Amino acid sequence: MKSKTLALTILVFLVLVSLVQILYYYPRLPYRVASHFGFNGKPDGWSSREIFLIMNIALVVFMGGLFWLSGWLPRKLPDSWINLPHKDYWLAPERRNATFETYAIYLYWFGNATLLLFLFLFNSVYRANLMSHPEFGQDVLIYFGLYILFIIYWTVKFYREFRVRPENDTTSFGRRS
């Protein structure tokens, strides 16, 4: 989790790939699409393919925009609205800019993982709808499992990054000596 530019570039790339995926599968989908699946992998919700397309695009664009804003918006919010461990220390004037840069990188990577999950889940939905009897495979469980592992890793790394450091700490921000 080093570069803000890399994380943001990947975020934009994932939004674009998701939109291309939608446009690729749209003409191949049946007019009535299985849009929701139960725990048993069988469809339990249906929609027209047009509504499914609109909802899919809206979700990808909304989530991409939300995570893009999450790297910029916290700078504009009152400190009381920011959820950050030891925020009195990290939002002190001498650390504020570096804190928000690191915070943005973490949020962009979280957004990347979420958009990647959506990309794989929607791919599973599209593939299921191309079958004569739509059904989810076991791959969906793997996607959710990997996402949960990422969230655990991300949370531990985030809290380690923002633990309180001694006042005489001279290491650069985000680096451990």
Side-chain angles (χ1 to χ4, degrees):
M1 294 194 201
K2 302 281 186 219
S3 171
K4 182 178 172 182
T5 304
L6 175 64
L8 190 54
T9 301
I10 292 172
L11 184 77
V12 171
F13 175 75
L14 288 171
V15 169
L16 293 175
V17 168
S18 295
L19 294 174
V20 167
Q21 179 188 52
I22 293 165
L23 296 175
Y24 172 79
Y25 278 109
Y26 176 74
R28 292 161 177 79
L29 292 174
Y31 291 105
R32 187 167 178 244
V33 177
S35 56
H36 189 272
F37 294 79
F39 287 112
N40 62 358
K42 307 254 187 252
D44 60 6
W46 301 84
S47 70
S48 70
R49 90 175 160 182
E50 290 79 16
I51 294 298
F52 187 72
L53 170 83
I54 291 168
M55 295 303 292
N56 203 320
I57 290 172
L59 181 64
V60 167
V61 170
F62 174 76
M63 293 303 289
L66 180 68
F67 283 111
W68 174 75
L69 281 175
S70 71
W72 168 80
L73 186 62
R75 293 176 188 268
K76 308 295 182 196
L77 297 173
D79 290 354
S80 61
W81 289 15
I82 297 171
N83 188 10
L84 184 66
H86 313 293
K87 69 178 165 186
D88 292 340
Y89 177 84
W90 291 111
L91 296 180
E94 64 274 13
R95 284 178 287 280
R96 190 175 189 84
N97 284 338
T99 296
F100 281 124
E101 285 299 304
T102 301
Y103 194 74
I105 292 168
Y106 274 89
L107 292 174
Y108 289 153
W109 282 112
F110 189 81
N112 289 339
T114 302
L115 286 172
L116 192 61
L117 174 68
F118 285 169
L119 184 70
F120 288 136
L121 287 176
F122 283 131
N123 188 56
S124 293
V125 171
Y126 296 135
R127 284 192 346 249
N129 275 288
L130 296 178
M131 296 189 283
S132 58
H133 298 298
E135 189 172 326
F136 258 0
Q138 295 299 317
D139 55 341
V140 174
L141 296 176
I142 294 170
Y143 304 149
F144 277 113
L146 290 172
Y147 186 67
I148 289 168
L149 288 175
F150 173 81
I151 290 172
I152 292 167
Y153 168 79
W154 182 92
T155 302
V156 168
K157 194 159 175 56
F158 183 84
Y159 275 94
R160 288 189 69 201
E161 180 74 39
F162 288 106
R163 68 179 181 258
V164 173
R165 298 188 184 143
E167 286 298 324
N168 61 1
D169 183 4
T170 58
T171 60
S172 64
F173 191 90
R175 312 260 190 274
R176 303 292 180 261
S177 51

